[in-house]
Amino acid sequence: MTKLKVDGKEIEVPDHFTLLQACEEAGAEIPRFCFHERLSVAGNCRMCLIEVKGGPPKPAASCAMGVRDIRGGPNGELPEVFTNTPMVKKAREGVMEFLLINHPLDCPICDQGGECDLQDQAMAFGIDSSRYTENKRAVEDKYIGPLVKTVMNRCIHCTRCVRFTTEVGGISELGLIGRGEDAEITTYLEHAMTSELQGNVVDLCPVGALTSKPFAFTARPWELNKTESIDVMDAVGSAIRVDTRGREVMRIMPRVNEQVNEEWISDKTRFIWDGLKTQRLDRPYVRKDGRLQAASWAEAFAAIKTAVSATSGDKIGAIAGDLASVEEMYALKSLMNSLGSENLDCRQDGTALDPSLGRGSYIFNPTIEGIEQAGGLLLIGANPRYEASVLNARIRKRFRRGNFPIGVIGEVSELRYAYDYVGAGPDSLAELSSGSNSFAEKLRGVKNPMIIVGQGALSRPDGLAILQAAAKLAGSVGALTDEWNGFGVLHTAASRVGGLDLGFVPGAKGANAATMLKSMDVLFLLGADEMEFSTKYAKFTVYIGSHGDNGAHTADVILPAATYTEKSGTWVNTEGRVQMGNRAGFAPGEAREDWAIIRALSDVLGKKLPFDSLYALRAKLYADHPHFADLDEIAAGSVNDIATLGLKSGELSKGGFTTPIKDFYLTNPIARASAVMAECSALARNNFQVAAE
């Protein structure tokens, strides 16, 4: 810790703080454009000028000077800085005037309307006049992809976008070329940026130079209602804010959550919102004479009742989809149990995970924040860049600190960091376990080794054997200790951990998802769209979901439900953290919340469920599964469960691991309904090559 004085006020701060951070700790407001806590220091906007006592007779850039860099007085006086002297005021006004020389000052039409740092700081620290009379320079707008709109006349060369894409995104596609008045930020060859995190530059840009292209000129911030919620596009559970106007979602923004997503979100999370209103199911449908026809709720329920009463409990099944919340899975499980059915499954992809193996066997035990404490990493059948982009940024963050060996078993791909390629499949895993591969020594030689097992390895027929082999390896390299649990399963589906916690898996005599699809008399699909429906032989299928996607195409009855922004629900992320999403708007037409549909259906089937409200449902849920009541907490997995798992062994087959995500932008029904995601997907298939606009 270091002591210093800021404007006469004595404070104590950590010795790694910059003077800017120290001043803010003391309660002084320091303007800045280029400084950002999560990026390297550039020191090129000069807005954060302060006066250092005993220093040179000129203002100092507080972002680039640390508290260790300033000296106290000759008689042991504390180092002293000033943020409000006439010199500082004059310097800031001069910098602001300089920055605005070429800025078009088009505040009425800038798309950042009401949220612009430049406008705020020009009012607070600038002057009310300008001495500039010459023509302003004009810079051509750049094409950097379908997500980020550029108005380069406004750019003040703070280089936040360059530093973010290089340091966090891991791409070297943006840069500053030219000198003096000819300097400009560009991709040079004008092609679309390839990062899955590029949308974050919209939030980072302190002026209106980079804005959201899909959102451009559709709404003003003061028109929007803002709802804090949770993202379900992957299993990371990023904290988001959903902005709505009326019942329409207009944009999705990140919220700061240090444990999960810091302040970043993936492009799929940010730009998915146009898919929330297209291809929606807004009324029930019943298949008559081979065609789906609009019907009333009573007709749809009557058709289901007829089908259910014509069969027995062992021929009724339910499959939960990737976006389902805990509440509706709990309601559906309760209904299935009352009908005498054990045919339940939340694992559409057939992954080998099972709650009977213990919670530690299916959650990301090191935690996302814990990645920063890891000493080495082995990825088995996982591609975090596509499966969990924000988590991948955390791995890159740890990689950039150095001394972090990374090994990969699976496909060779660009992960945004260097790694040792260990092998393609189970053979390489067996070599590591036996110690014949040198990477095993690297893992043993570090403190806190970490092993991440992806769904690409677990959704194979030999998935359980691979899970056992990975658990055994974790034990042998020292990843399972009292202080550190380095065994993590990386999920791709937001609903998966919550479903496993609930026990939404086949009972003793129950059938799994693939079997149910082929053999059930009545099959309930709770937003399950990611299966191979061409092999479907189930006699009567009921689809409860929000979009007319794969699951709805073959259904006999469709019950329209709500999306994640239209209901209050609980999700559990890949690390086992319980999170709650809030309702930002209402579902269209006759669509209802999923749990309410299941409750109403149970009444018609004569198996009335014991709750009439979401509050009553949650009370019952918390009584049966208490850990769901602890929001934002992780019920830790046991190291012993993983050690026990590692003692067993199964038959490993041949063939390399492949990632389950073939197209990052089209992984769920909402994404497939989005025009923006379709454009990104087409660009990605075309290797991001497109003629500049």
Side-chain angles (χ1 to χ4, degrees), residues 351-406:
T351 182
L353 301 168
D354 197 286
S356 63
L357 302 171
R359 195 168 196 253
S361 69
Y362 61 81
I363 64 170
F364 194 87
N365 293 288
T367 72
I368 297 171
E369 196 177 25
I371 292 171
E372 296 185 31
Q373 273 72 60
L377 170 63
L378 176 67
L379 294 168
I380 303 172
N383 184 333
R385 179 184 158 193
Y386 295 131
E387 293 167 27
S389 307
V390 175
L391 183 142
N392 199 51
R394 194 79 76 147
I395 297 175
R396 176 166 167 79
K397 182 180 178 182
R398 173 64 189 88
F399 168 77
R400 287 185 73 242
R401 281 198 354 239
N403 298 322
F404 190 56
I406 302 174

Side-chain angles (χ1 to χ4, degrees), residues 126-432:
I127 48 177
D128 62 352
S129 59
S130 173
R131 294 170 287 178
Y132 194 73
T133 55
E134 291 81 12
N135 291 328
K136 299 206 167 200
R137 116 180 154 141
V139 184
E140 206 174 292
D141 293 345
K142 309 292 187 290
Y143 172 81
I144 58 173
L147 302 177
V148 182
K149 176 186 173 191
T150 62
V151 186
M152 299 314 288
N153 284 335
R154 299 180 190 142
C155 178
I156 61 168
H157 301 165
C158 71
T159 66
R160 278 186 182 181
C161 54
V162 177
R163 284 174 286 149
F164 172 81
T165 52
T166 310
E167 293 164 16
V168 181
I171 57 171
S172 301
E173 293 171 355
L174 272 184
L176 188 137
I177 61 167
R179 297 178 68 183
E181 194 167 291
D182 296 323
E184 45 187 280
I185 284 179
T186 176
T187 57
Y188 203 76
L189 295 175
E190 296 215 6
H191 67 88
M193 287 198 291
T194 59
S195 172
E196 292 74 33
L197 299 165
Q198 60 180 282
N200 292 293
V201 301
V202 170
D203 299 329
L204 286 173
C205 183
V207 296
L210 303 176
T211 53
S212 169
K213 197 178 269 188
F215 176 69
F217 305 120
T218 55
R220 288 296 189 211
W222 55 83
E223 304 171 336
L224 304 175
N225 288 316
K226 299 166 179 67
T227 310
E228 294 189 348
S229 193
I230 293 295
D231 172 54
V232 299
M233 293 299 116
D234 52 29
V236 174
S238 302
I240 58 170
R241 191 188 83 200
V242 181
D243 289 3
T244 52
R245 185 171 62 192
R247 62 194 311 167
E248 189 180 346
V249 175
M250 301 304 290
R251 65 176 179 178
I252 292 171
M253 307 280 283
R255 287 187 294 122
V256 176
N257 186 332
E258 297 293 349
Q259 284 87 35
V260 181
N261 60 310
E262 299 183 287
E263 60 187 80
W264 320 125
I265 52 172
S266 76
D267 292 343
K268 190 162 46 176
T269 301
R270 185 185 295 270
F271 296 107
I272 198 80
W273 46 266
D274 67 316
L276 292 165
K277 57 180 181 258
T278 49
Q279 217 171 313
R280 288 299 302 270
L281 300 171
D282 59 355
R283 65 188 72 174
Y285 290 87
V286 176
R287 195 175 290 276
K288 296 174 185 172
D289 307 321
R291 292 175 65 92
L292 282 167
Q293 297 178 18
S296 66
W297 279 100
E299 287 171 317
F301 283 171
I304 298 169
K305 187 178 180 183
T306 306
V308 168
S309 52
T311 187
S312 58
D314 60 335
K315 299 297 283 182
I316 303 171
I319 303 171
D322 290 353
L323 308 183
S325 72
V326 167
E327 284 83 353
E328 58 233 34
M329 286 192 284
Y330 179 72
L332 186 55
K333 185 185 180 201
S334 304
L335 177 61
M336 289 290 117
N337 291 344
S338 66
L339 292 169
S341 171
E342 292 185 340
N343 304 315
L344 301 162
D345 209 345
C346 63
R347 307 163 302 182
Q348 293 184 84
D349 53 6
T351 182
L353 301 168
D354 197 286
S356 63
L357 302 171
R359 195 168 196 253
S361 69
Y362 61 81
I363 64 170
F364 194 87
N365 293 288
T367 72
I368 297 171
E369 196 177 25
I371 292 171
E372 296 185 31
Q373 273 72 60
L377 170 63
L378 176 67
L379 294 168
I380 303 172
N383 184 333
R385 179 184 158 193
Y386 295 131
E387 293 167 27
S389 307
V390 175
L391 183 142
N392 199 51
R394 194 79 76 147
I395 297 175
R396 176 166 167 79
K397 182 180 178 182
R398 173 64 189 88
F399 168 77
R400 287 185 73 242
R401 281 198 354 239
N403 298 322
F404 190 56
I406 302 174
V408 169
I409 303 178
E411 292 175 318
V412 179
S413 61
E414 172 52 67
L415 294 178
R416 308 299 192 206
Y417 37 77
Y419 58 82
D420 295 336
Y421 186 64
V422 179
D427 295 345
S428 305
L429 185 56
E431 284 171 16
L432 280 176

Side-chain angles (χ1 to χ4, degrees), residues 9 35 50 59 68 109 214 327 347 350 360 540 562 638 645 666 686:
K9 181 181 175 184
F35 178 77
I50 58 166
R68 283 178 291 200
I109 64 159
E327 284 83 353
R347 307 163 302 182
F540 188 88
S638 167
L645 186 64
L666 304 177
N686 200 24

